[in-house]
């Protein structure tokens, strides 16, 4: 997708017909509570209408507070906002899914969710300890539940009208394919790490063929330096088109048919990351030809989040 279309307005239809997801998403993985509130407020003011949350981020209450304040100030209403949150690894047992969902909804102060994701395909020992470990510091996994068991409980949330769509995060095709085939309600969104150093082309093709939205996290490379933002191809294109490297990377993500999550923490960065515009075709193709390959977040292999402080 290249040309003059206003990327900021891109909304991606969900494969169950239950609405559309704004391609430009604000991720709320922010450890500090006060900063969560100001960053969420700034993101809404900049124009973001898609909020990505998680019970594991331990700040749903603050996100909800900023969202309620935004709606009270006017110009933002619930139907105009797309809110996602995620089921944590310790709640994969089917009987734990609905209570975890309702607790998240309650912290967010909402009546329904647009999207509920299984945060990772790894089940941890059930309980209130989000990071269960043995004496040697090894994660305690739960072999008593399958991903499909958890998915069935997620499906019933949609069937009962509690959330509009369900999906998965941190999955590979090996996990997604069998689940997709067995699912009564197909996954609407798959959230994974994706950027020019990890384009996930095969997964993206699989998703496109089935109308699944691929939602990219780490589109700017998680802020790791040197990294994507300093890549010479990206910097040269930024200089040529009069945009910042971040804007180039975010535009590329939308133009290739994915949605993205970014976490600007200041008002200026929120405006910068929202104000993207389409890249010319030659620039888009140049980014597609980047050869560097690098996965930044190991969560997909272990279920252990790479960039969230350990739960205390
Ligand atoms: N499903 C999962 O397992 C998973 C894992 C990770 C993240 N996520 C989601 O993805 C969201 C996005 O997080 P991310 O780390 O992946 O985002 P990212 O955009 O790849 O990286 C954020 C980093 O980029 C920097 N940054 C942001 N805007 C910038 C700009 N305009 N110019 C230069 N640097 C900029 C930030 O710097 P500062 O710190 O200085 O602001 C921060 O260090 C999270 O909030 C969360 O919702 C999901």
């Amino acid at each position: 997708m290249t040309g003059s279309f206003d990327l900021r307005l891109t909304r991606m239809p969900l494969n169950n017909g239950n609405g559309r997801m704004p391609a430009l998403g604000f991720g709320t993985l922010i450890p500090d509570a006060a900063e969560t509130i100001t960053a969420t407020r700034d993101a809404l003011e900049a124009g973001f209408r898609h909020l990505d949350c998680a019970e594991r981020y331990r700040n749903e209450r603050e996100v909800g507070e900023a969202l309620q304040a935004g709606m009270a100030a006017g110009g933002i209403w619930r139907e105009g906002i797309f809110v996602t949150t995620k089921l944590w690894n310790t709640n994969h047992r089917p009987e734990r899914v609905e209570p975890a969902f309702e607790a998240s909804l309650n912290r967010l102060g909402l009546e329904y969710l647009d999207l509920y994701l299984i945060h990772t395909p790894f089940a941890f020992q059930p309980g209130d300890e989000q990071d269960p470990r043995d004496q040697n510091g090894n994660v305690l996994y739960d072999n008593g539940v399958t991903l499909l068991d958890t998915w069935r409980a997620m499906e019933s949330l949609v069937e009962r009208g509690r959330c509009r769509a369900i999906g998965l995060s941190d999955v590979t095709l090996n996990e997604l394919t069998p689940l997709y085939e067995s699912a009564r309600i197909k996954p609407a969104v798959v959230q994974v790490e994706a950027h020019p150093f990890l384009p996930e082309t095969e997964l993206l093709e699989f998703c496109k063929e089935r109308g699944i939205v691929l939602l990219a996290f780490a589109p700017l490379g998680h802020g790791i330096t040197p990294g994507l933002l300093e890549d010479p191809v990206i910097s040269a294109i930024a200089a040529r088109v009069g945009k910042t490297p971040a804007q180039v990377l975010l535009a590329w993500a939308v133009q290739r048919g994915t949605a993205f999550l970014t976490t600007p923490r200041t008002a200026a960065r929120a405006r910068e990351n929202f104000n993207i515009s389409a890249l010319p075709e030659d620039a888009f193709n140049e980014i597609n030809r980047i050869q560097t390959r690098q996965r930044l977040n190991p969560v997909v292999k272990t279920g252990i989040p790479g960039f969230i402080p350990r739960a205390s």
Side-chain angles (χ1 to χ4, degrees):
M1 195 204 316
T2 53
S4 58
F5 177 73
D6 189 343
L7 295 186
R8 296 171 302 178
L9 305 178
T10 309
R11 285 181 171 259
M12 318 198 51
L14 300 180
N15 58 8
N16 63 4
N18 264 351
R20 294 183 305 157
M21 184 173 83
L24 282 63
F26 173 71
T28 64
L29 175 43
I30 302 171
D32 183 77
E35 201 179 6
T36 300
I37 297 177
T38 54
T40 305
R41 179 200 62 202
D42 293 342
L44 290 170
E45 281 179 12
F48 284 95
R49 292 294 177 268
H50 165 183
L51 304 181
D52 180 78
C53 314
E55 65 174 295
R56 182 65 181 84
Y57 301 164
R58 298 174 156 219
N59 61 0
E60 290 171 307
R61 220 174 274 289
E62 287 77 14
V63 175
E65 200 179 300
L67 182 54
Q68 300 303 331
M71 291 195 283
I76 300 173
W77 60 100
R78 177 64 186 94
E79 284 290 319
I81 302 272
F82 190 99
V83 185
T84 303
T85 199
K86 312 188 194 81
L87 177 84
W88 183 237
N89 299 354
T90 47
N91 288 322
H92 277 213
R93 296 251 167 171
E95 67 278 12
R96 295 182 68 88
V97 172
E98 186 182 1
F101 173 88
E102 294 297 340
S104 281
L105 206 57
N106 187 273
R107 285 189 291 268
L108 287 162
L110 299 175
E111 300 289 319
Y112 70 91
L113 272 186
D114 297 278
L115 176 66
Y116 198 41
L117 300 177
I118 299 181
H119 201 143
T120 87
F122 297 88
F124 287 1
Q125 177 181 278
D128 293 335
E129 169 55 59
Q130 289 188 329
D131 193 22
R133 306 259 172 167
D134 68 14
Q135 287 157 338
N136 301 319
N138 300 313
V139 168
L140 293 165
Y141 290 96
D142 177 7
N143 297 320
V145 58
T146 67
L147 193 57
L148 187 58
D149 294 336
T150 310
W151 188 256
R152 292 288 182 233
M154 301 281 284
E155 290 176 324
S156 80
L157 293 173
V158 179
E159 283 159 351
R160 287 185 297 104
R162 302 300 292 136
C163 64
R164 295 188 168 174
I166 47 178
L168 298 149
S169 174
D170 297 325
V171 283
T172 62
L173 270 177
N174 285 344
E175 289 131 351
L176 178 60
T177 308
L179 186 100
Y180 182 88
E181 278 158 16
S182 304
R184 250 191 342 267
I185 298 178
K186 304 298 180 192
V189 175
V190 167
Q191 181 183 134
V192 290
E193 176 182 341
H195 43 70
F197 293 173
L198 187 70
E200 291 285 19
T201 313
E202 206 187 335
L203 180 61
L204 180 58
E205 280 313 306
F206 179 95
C207 289
K208 282 185 176 174
E209 281 162 17
R210 291 157 185 80
I212 302 171
V213 176
L214 192 151
L215 173 56
F217 74 76
L220 305 181
H222 271 332
I224 295 170
T225 52
L228 277 166
L229 288 162
E230 293 79 26
D231 181 84
V233 172
I234 303 298
S235 311
I237 292 172
R240 208 161 78 220
V241 301
K243 288 283 186 180
T244 66
Q247 288 170 325
V248 168
L249 288 163
L250 298 177
W252 176 81
V254 180
Q255 279 176 263
R256 70 194 292 254
T258 71
F260 70 73
L261 296 172
T262 180
T263 307
R265 299 203 209 188
T266 64
R269 282 242 171 115
R271 287 192 294 274
E272 176 185 341
N273 292 4
F274 189 76
N275 285 322
I276 59 171
S277 52
L279 301 169
E281 199 169 342
D282 59 341
F284 178 75
N285 291 333
E286 242 180 280
I287 300 175
N288 290 335
R289 287 195 295 270
I290 290 177
Q291 297 296 317
T292 309
R293 288 292 171 264
Q294 189 182 10
R295 181 182 291 284
L296 304 168
N297 195 321
V299 62
V300 72
K301 295 185 182 127
T302 58
I304 303 165
F307 291 85
I308 311 180
R310 286 270 294 270
S312 50

